[in-house]
Amino acid sequence: MDRPAISDYGFLSDCRSGALVGRDGSVDWWCPDRFDSPAVFGRILDDAAGRWRIAPVGTGRVERAYLPDTLVLRTVHHTPEGSVAVTDALAAEPGARAHQLGHNSPAVLLRVVEGLSGRVPMRLDFTPRPEYGLLTPHLRKLPDGTVRAEAGPVALALRGGPPLHVERDRVRADFAVSAGDRLGFDLAYAPAYGGVPARLDPVDALADTVLAWQAFRESHRYQGRHAGLVRHSATVLQGLTYTRSGAVAAALTTSLPERLGGDRNYDYRYSWLRDFAMTLHALWVAACPDEASRLFAWASRSIGQLGDDPVPVLFGLEGERGLAEHEITHLRGYADSRPVRLGNDAWRQRQLDVPGEVVSAVWRLHEYLGERLDDELRETVVGLTEQVAATWRLPDRGMWETREDERHHVSSKALCWVTMRLAVELAPQLGDRADPVRWRAVRDEIRATVLERGWNERIGAYTGAFGSDELDASALYLPVVGFLPATDPRMRATIAAVERDLATPDGLVRRWSADPGGFLLCSFWLVQCLVLAGERERAEALFTRVAGHANDLGLLAEQVDPVTGGMLGNFPQALSHIGLINAAWELTEPGGD
């Protein structure tokens, strides 16, 4: 397999699911029912796991871009015979506009081919492989030219302009496109026992989908620094939003590796409470109050009534808790990076920072959006606060979700402090169960403990865990959440140590010394820290360098290889775009210097 780089992919979304389309015209990832459902195209993880390619027969130069303010992708192939454009989208519901995106998405993949010059020979190769490549479907050509692909729980219907030829386990079509020609293809999904897949006219549906995305973008106006980048990142976040519930998927994919050939390959198609406050803030910054409120409603319902067990760090897109992890042994993995995993066992971990993120989100909802705290929210805040008061002294797995022994992570303790601080501020809104006097005492004890035990005199910095000699970029989060000002002498020393020992010359920040790639969220945290320390000019320059690691479509993965510049990890990564938005806002806010 001639493996495409992760950066070669473009992202399509209908706010129900998403697809990845390579520069070579191949759809190599699509889980049509919802983001975390089984893939029918999985070539990104194994060449045998299915794809749908439409491209010129020969090679040539490729240029591509999203249509303005959309996730509708137009790829232009320039060949010796002429030029042809392929425009790809996941269809919006007919007539849907702005915030209606995704509520009733028809699960139809649209592809429209347009001849621009000359006469270009084209080839279509359709090889669906449901259940991550476990199934080879039965293919039937109907009298109207439609090809039905059926296997297990999946039914797909493909139709298009030229004749489609069934060749046992795949569909092929060879055709030519001349200047002015326009051919439309649509691929519709439906559950095998749930009725006939939807039928849309591809050209009309594509135009309607463009209008739906542009209406969404028109309703969200951000006026701060780096407005174009922020608006595009907000569109990507909307594309990762499962609109039916309001949950934001951490990424579109599973098991794209943090290190090529390595085994740190995890399933990120779920929604993390740990990222909650950052996500909510980014949506608020990007002027998306409706999305912020719906995200919070999802979280509140997912958490439910609190018991003694820790709040799970992540949930399924409709609030599912049981996300047991297992391996798919028949897939080779991206760049032979095994294992390929489904599910994510981090949901079982104790992560003491989670309540702090949730309570921060409640505070933002109340302070920024003017939302009143109903009985359910009050119970949630009080329950989380009492849980932190009882458990903050325990070790945990930390924000990087280590699968090693639990430790006393500095960032986790700092978020415990955030919980207690904001609970004290919210106490007048919390009813009779609020106990601000006791909470204040716990808050002060946590702070004193972190300041004493988190600082490593030999390293000259706050490290990743109490008693650790290892520098960790999570320390950059302390000024971001207000635990310490960036101008504090020890905090400034920590920022300098991270820049010296964990950052590359172009500003990519590794999480720890052995981390294979620059973690983009940490790099944007460094931007925020520099602003908060009064170094706005350096922060601006760093922001530009870090944001410049996006691909030609403005998409960011989780990490970047500091040697090759190649993207690493699941893609596109919500946290990276969240980091960009929040760093741009920090650069916009007055008072950073």
Side-chain angles (χ1 to χ4, degrees), residues 124 142 153 206 309 360 446 578:
L124 176 151
L142 305 182
L206 184 67
D309 294 332
S360 293
I446 296 172
I578 288 164

Side-chain angles (χ1 to χ4, degrees), residues 209-230:
T209 300
V210 170
L211 292 176
W213 277 107
Q214 290 176 339
F216 167 79
R217 195 63 268 143
E218 183 65 23
S219 66
H220 301 87
R221 296 186 176 275
Y222 166 83
Q223 303 298 328
R225 300 280 299 163
H226 305 285
L229 293 175
V230 168

